[in-house]
Amino acid sequence: MNKNNWTYKKFEDCLHKVKYPPKVKTNEYLSLGLFPVVSQEKEYISGYNDDENKVFHHNNPVVIFGDHSREIKYIDFDFIIGADGVKILDVKDFLNPKFFYYNIKWINVESLGYSRHYKLLKENNIPIPPLAEQERIVEELDLLSSIIEKKKAQLKELDQLAQSIFYDMFGDPITNEKGWEVKKLGEISAIGTGATPSREKEELYYGGDIHWVKTTEVHNCVITDTEENITQLAIEQTNCKIYPPNTLLMAMYGQGKTRGQIAKLKISAATNQACAAIMLDNCICNLDFVYELLHIKYDNIRAMAQGGNQANLNMKLVGSIPIILPPLPLQQEFASKVEAIERQKTLIQQSIDEVQTLFDSRMDYWFG
């Protein structure tokens, strides 16, 4: 394709003005309902609501941009706007909505923390190839994207397998139907937290080589790298501490479904103040066993939160989480089965990374 025949337009010259219907608040989200709720959260669908007066009716697909979160979603169905920070981008007829979606994904707006980001996004110019070329580009990127999504679905199936094995071996950890010994999490671990160094002090971040974890990175995963680093000076001047590999992290608060999610730390890292860092006593409990148990208890852990407008966990609450304790050899047997699953997941992840590299390369080619 010849990019010489492409034109470019200012961002907002590509968009129709949108009339926004009333939004629903987070506490109005339902688990089931007539209309999906689309918010700026990471989840594609945040919940449901039955109020037809709040529905945004789509004539053409639109792109959602999270003003705070920078999340980007392609929406081709009627929906209700969830909470604050949702920008609805409705492109004019000379743009294919999916082409515009991929272009916005490629722009990758710089993070300003919990500030608003649309002001940065709208400063960009948008390429306008002929519509037939836009459609061919979308077909190529859709194909690569679908391969990635199918492989990610395989990873989820393997995660479900690990959970199934847990239930087979130990029963339901909430009802403790097998009568295992129970201790509080604080009795089998040391629990700490961290801090957020001042953003106004460049010396606390610039040139830093100490990994620093935010709750947005704690989403039932293994952490091998971080989005940001801090300096040794940040450790000395704040409440940040460096935690060793094989520390479990739990998000104590955060946007959307963040609260209660966990991660295994595979590197040395500090955290912000919204993370609980859990260092287990390896003499009585196994890391993979406790990780899976906490994963299963996610809803129960979220329900422990306290507070008014935004319920949060704290270190005392995290320490009070009840943990079943089967014999350590049985926990280790479970861990060995999880290890075999993790090896399969590693191979799939490598495949995802390869396709993702190709996808990113093609995005750079078309939009760079």
Side-chain angles (χ1 to χ4, degrees):
M1 297 181 192
N2 181 12
K3 293 174 73 172
N4 293 330
N5 64 354
W6 292 20
T7 58
Y8 291 81
K9 289 184 180 291
K10 292 181 179 179
F11 189 89
E12 293 197 321
D13 289 344
C14 298
L15 302 175
H16 293 296
K17 288 190 176 180
V18 173
K19 183 178 180 180
Y20 286 70
K23 305 168 186 175
V24 296
K25 298 178 181 178
T26 305
N27 60 10
E28 297 176 302
Y29 295 0
L30 306 174
S31 56
L32 294 172
L34 295 176
F35 305 104
V37 175
V38 176
S39 73
Q40 65 168 342
E41 297 169 5
K42 188 177 185 68
E43 291 77 18
Y44 188 61
I45 301 297
S46 300
Y48 295 87
N49 190 275
D50 293 334
D51 191 344
E52 191 167 359
N53 295 320
K54 295 180 178 178
V55 176
F56 180 86
H57 294 283
H58 89 293
N59 296 316
N60 295 302
V62 296
V63 175
I64 297 298
F65 178 75
D67 207 0
H68 295 297
S69 66
R70 298 177 298 144
E71 289 292 330
I72 300 166
K73 302 174 183 179
Y74 178 82
I75 305 295
D76 57 0
F77 48 82
D78 294 347
F79 65 95
I80 292 176
I81 301 171
D84 186 35
V86 172
K87 302 291 288 187
I88 301 175
L89 309 179
D90 183 14
V91 298
K92 294 180 178 178
D93 293 343
F94 53 77
L95 266 175
N96 180 304
K98 182 64 83 70
F99 177 85
F100 178 77
Y101 162 78
Y102 281 126
N103 190 187
I104 302 308
K105 295 275 283 186
W106 175 82
I107 288 172
N108 193 22
V109 174
E110 176 189 1
S111 174
L112 300 176
Y114 197 71
S115 180
R116 293 189 177 268
H117 295 85
Y118 182 72
K119 59 191 174 187
L120 300 181
L121 181 64
K122 71 179 183 178
E123 294 302 315
N124 290 275
N125 291 326
I126 301 299
I128 316 291
L131 276 169
E133 288 190 18
Q134 294 182 41
E135 290 168 4
R136 286 193 289 270
I137 293 167
V138 166
E139 285 178 6
E140 176 189 341
L141 297 177
D142 272 353
L143 175 61
L144 293 173
S145 182
S146 68
I147 293 171
I148 292 169
E149 291 307 311
K150 287 175 182 176
K151 291 182 179 295
K152 286 183 177 179
Q154 291 177 328
L155 290 181
K156 286 186 178 180
E157 289 173 0
L158 289 172
D159 282 337
Q160 291 170 355
L161 175 60
Q163 193 168 110
S164 177
I165 292 171
F166 186 99
Y167 277 108
D168 286 344
M169 293 182 67
F170 307 112
D172 186 337
I174 298 166
T175 61
N176 191 17
E177 60 204 47
K178 296 195 175 184
W180 305 113
E181 178 186 8
V182 177
K183 286 186 177 291
K184 294 179 180 179
L185 184 57
E187 296 176 313
I188 62 171
S189 66
I191 303 174
T193 187
T196 299
S198 172
R199 295 287 184 180
E200 297 178 358
K201 296 182 179 180
E202 185 177 315
E203 65 272 19
L204 303 185
Y205 292 90
Y206 183 73
D209 59 1
I210 298 170
H211 294 292
W212 182 66
V213 182
K214 305 185 289 291
T215 49
T216 51
E217 299 168 87
V218 178
H219 45 81
N220 301 330
C221 62
V222 174
I223 295 178
T224 58
D225 199 3
T226 54
E227 295 172 358
E228 295 186 82
N229 289 354
I230 59 175
T231 63
Q232 181 60 36
L233 188 62
I235 299 294
E236 295 168 1
Q237 292 190 358
T238 70
N239 290 327
C240 281
K241 302 176 182 63
I242 301 175
Y243 295 105
N246 293 329
T247 298
L248 285 178
L249 300 181
M250 178 179 290
M252 293 189 287
Y253 50 93
Q255 294 298 306
K257 298 181 180 180
T258 299
R259 183 182 76 246
Q261 294 195 337
I262 55 172
K264 296 180 208 176
L265 195 59
K266 290 299 181 182
I267 53 175
S268 296
T271 76
N272 70 7
Q273 67 278 9
C275 292
I278 303 160
M279 292 157 287
L280 297 167
D281 181 347
N282 295 325
C283 294
I284 56 175
C285 57
N286 176 274
L287 174 77
D288 292 317
F289 169 81
V290 176
Y291 173 88
E292 192 61 44
L293 187 154
L294 294 174
H295 191 183
I296 290 171
K297 292 175 68 102
Y298 168 74
D299 289 331
N300 297 79
I301 292 169
R302 282 180 64 81
M304 295 172 63
Q306 298 175 351
N309 293 332
Q310 179 174 314
N312 295 326
L313 297 169
N314 55 48
M315 289 207 297
K316 183 178 180 180
L317 290 170
V318 172
S320 71
I321 296 170
I323 303 294
I324 62 169
L325 281 177
L328 185 59
L330 202 58
Q331 296 181 42
Q332 292 168 336
E333 181 184 338
F334 170 76
S336 67
K337 294 179 180 180
V338 168
E339 186 178 347
I341 292 172
E342 291 296 331
R343 286 196 293 269
Q344 295 180 56
K345 288 173 62 177
T346 297
L347 294 174
I348 294 172
Q349 187 61 56
Q350 288 172 350
S351 180
I352 291 174
D353 293 343
E354 290 170 2
V355 181
Q356 185 69 54
T357 298
L358 177 58
F359 178 84
D360 293 343
S361 172
R362 297 307 291 165
M363 291 271 276
D364 285 340
Y365 177 77
W366 292 122
F367 303 120

